[in-house]
Amino acid sequence: MIAQHISHGFIDGMAQWLASLCTMPVSVGQEGELLRPGHIYLSPSERDLCVSSRHRFQLQPSPECSLYHPCCDVLLQSVAEVYGSDAIGIILTGMGRDGVNGMRAIHRAGGTTFAQDEASSVIYGMNQEAVKAGVIQYELPLDSLPDRLLRDVRGYMDSRPEPLA
């Protein structure tokens, strides 16, 4: 799930562009939609994306006075609430402080937090704020993040108990 600060009207184009770059399906999250593994979801620009305890999307109106559309904190905090210690948050290059409170929520829930390092960032802003807040466990170059994330997810999947018959 991705919350990317973007002007209204451009998120569908971003979804199409990302879909052209990767093999996984990419779409904009819809109200009530059930999350599917191996699918990339973008938050719509005019609403804030949340995850419900039933693993479905809920869309909340973004406050008019909000600086960030969509809001990363809203998405990350809902992920922390629903997935707890299984939550993983990644914060990349960008301006502002959005994402710090959401990463804090994941960190406090026992989840795993990553940030893009300064050297590979275009703007070391959002990620720097999260690092300074002490809520990031791993700060890595952008090109190292995918392999590390896959390693952690695979390790988690391998350590899960077999389901009872």
Side-chain angles (χ1 to χ4, degrees):
M1 294 172 279
I2 299 171
Q4 168 69 46
H5 300 159
I6 194 166
S7 296
H8 297 327
F10 289 94
I11 199 67
D12 289 326
M14 183 177 175
Q16 291 170 359
W17 173 69
L18 284 175
S20 75
L21 297 176
C22 64
T23 58
M24 295 191 308
V26 179
S27 64
V28 178
Q30 302 295 315
E31 177 69 34
E33 182 176 3
L34 181 66
L35 276 75
R36 296 174 305 203
H39 194 102
I40 299 169
Y41 297 99
L42 300 174
S43 180
S45 59
E46 66 281 355
R47 311 269 310 270
D48 289 331
L49 188 69
C50 299
V51 181
S52 76
S53 59
R54 296 181 54 216
H55 313 289
R56 293 186 178 275
F57 287 127
Q58 294 177 327
L59 298 178
Q60 298 178 355
S62 295
E64 286 292 325
C65 61
S66 178
L67 286 174
Y68 309 110
H69 298 278
C71 181
C72 299
D73 279 328
V74 170
L75 174 60
L76 293 168
Q77 287 171 337
S78 74
V79 167
E81 289 172 18
V82 172
Y83 298 107
S85 63
D86 291 333
I88 298 174
I90 301 173
I91 193 163
L92 302 176
T93 186
M95 293 181 359
R97 292 189 44 82
D98 188 26
V100 173
N101 290 330
M103 295 299 274
R104 180 177 290 114
I106 290 174
H107 188 261
R108 285 184 178 159
T112 306
T113 57
F114 295 94
Q116 182 178 355
D117 72 351
E118 182 177 10
S120 67
S121 295
V122 175
I123 300 170
Y124 191 56
M126 291 170 57
N127 39 352
Q128 179 185 37
E129 293 296 327
V131 169
K132 286 188 337 189
V135 299
I136 299 300
Q137 294 163 296
Y138 306 102
E139 188 177 9
L140 301 168
L142 181 60
D143 62 358
S144 298
L145 281 166
D147 287 339
R148 178 57 193 266
L149 179 61
L150 288 172
R151 188 183 85 195
D152 284 11
V153 170
R154 285 185 184 128
Y156 168 77
M157 296 303 289
D158 292 343
S159 68
R160 291 176 64 188
E162 290 294 319
L164 299 174

